[in-house]
Amino acid sequence: MDKLGSRCPLPGYPRPSVFICLLILIASFLTYPMLKTLSLQLHSTVTGSYVSGTYSIVFVNCPNEQIARDIARAILDKKLAASVNILPKASSLYFWNGEIEEATQILLLIKTKTSKVHMLSSYIRPKTQRACCSQL
């Protein structure tokens, strides 16, 4: 009887195996997004292949072609992107001081890893703000 009593849970408590399974199930649901992201990045790194969500295209407007070329070269020198396309004469319409304005700008299409978008944005933002303000 002692052996049987030691294996049975106390009344009112769930069996340990059910509790452990429930805990594992909850932990799996909570960590799934992180594990999925890590496994996709590992797969992409090991195989060198494209995995959805690992690469991004960033669009940046520049006031003229010289500034666009300077920014593109700097981005590539710092290895913040794999490629930059410069598309001339993009027509832009935007609100400025409550009025609709129209301007011709140069569009950069920057191809980079999604993991580098934040660094790229932090690097470009001050340069484009300075360039745009100097053109006003």
Side-chain angles (χ1 to χ4, degrees), residues 27-45:
S28 297
F29 279 119
L30 294 176
T31 59
Y32 176 75
M34 179 186 64
L35 293 174
K36 181 181 177 190
T37 301
L38 289 174
S39 66
L40 287 173
Q41 288 177 351
L42 179 63
H43 178 267
S44 178
T45 302

Side-chain angles (χ1 to χ4, degrees), residues 13-83:
Y13 290 98
R15 292 191 319 205
S17 60
V18 173
F19 179 72
I20 290 172
C21 289
L22 185 60
L23 188 63
I24 290 172
L25 186 63
I26 291 170
S28 297
F29 279 119
L30 294 176
T31 59
Y32 176 75
M34 179 186 64
L35 293 174
K36 181 181 177 190
T37 301
L38 289 174
S39 66
L40 287 173
Q41 288 177 351
L42 179 63
H43 178 267
S44 178
T45 302
V46 169
T47 63
S49 63
Y50 171 77
V51 176
S52 177
T54 57
Y55 297 97
S56 295
I57 296 178
V58 177
F59 297 90
V60 176
N61 281 326
C62 297
N64 62 50
E65 193 166 345
Q66 186 57 48
I67 290 172
R69 288 187 184 285
D70 291 346
I71 290 173
R73 287 187 184 282
I75 289 168
L76 292 171
D77 284 342
K78 296 205 173 286
K79 304 210 182 314
L80 293 173
S83 171

